């Protein structure tokens, strides 16, 4: 599954795709045979696959089995805070204290989000870059200049939208985020 689909699923946004083999497929004509191609029919609701169904169909990653003799107790994973009842300021503070993944080790600042928290428009980036990590604000580098121009073309100012990233810490060397 692509990174983008995993992020959408993590945000609770469902993307729909046809199940494998559900609709009639385009047939490739045999060599020298110019038979007309069939087009795919509209899928019925039971032929549509949800992201959860696609994940269930994916093979599970291999599981490593550790020897009981050589295995030391693993350090306890940090506990995830319950963010459901937090207001914006408390949530921003919790993000600033987060150490649930290795990205907290190399960050300069967390990059929470900026703009109108009640805006009609939400702009979401993948992860902060170097400039964003240094300033603690999303879309401040070249991508930010482009975003500002795009917003202006749409008749909006940066202050009229809310801008955030899925990740709040910069991945080292701007590598792709990991699940």
């Amino acid at each position: 599954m692509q990174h983008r689909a995993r992020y959408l699923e993590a945000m609770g946004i469902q993307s729909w795709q046809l199940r494998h083999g559900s609709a009639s497929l385009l047939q490739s004509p045999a060599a020298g045979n110019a038979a007309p191609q069939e087009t795919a029919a509209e899928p019925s609701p039971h032929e549509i696959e949800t992201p959860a169904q696609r994940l269930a169909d994916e093979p599970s990653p291999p599981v490593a089995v550790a020897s009981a003799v050589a295995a030391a107790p693993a350090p306890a994973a940090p506990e995830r805070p319950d963010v459901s009842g937090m207001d914006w300021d408390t949530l921003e503070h919790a993000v600033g204290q987060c150490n649930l993944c290795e990205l907290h080790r190399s960050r300069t600042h967390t990059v929470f989000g900026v703009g109108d928290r009640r805006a009609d428009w939400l702009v979401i980036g993948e992860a902060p870059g170097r400039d964003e990590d240094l300033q603690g604000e999303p879309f401040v580098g070249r991508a930010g200049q482009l975003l500002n121009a795009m917003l202006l073309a749409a008749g909006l100012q940066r202050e009229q939208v809310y801008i955030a990233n899925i990740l709040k810490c910069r991945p080292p060397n701007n590598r792709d985020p990991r699940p």
Side-chain angles (χ1 to χ4, degrees), residues 72-80 99-100 105:
E79 190 172 319
R80 293 182 185 273
N99 62 356
L100 293 172
R105 292 186 185 111

Side-chain angles (χ1 to χ4, degrees), residues 86-107:
M86 292 184 185
D87 63 15
W88 279 97
D89 294 329
T90 306
L91 179 61
E92 186 171 5
H93 178 75
V95 166
Q97 303 302 311
C98 179
N99 62 356
L100 293 172
C101 73
E102 78 270 2
L103 295 181
H104 77 280
R105 292 186 185 111
S106 60
R107 71 178 176 225

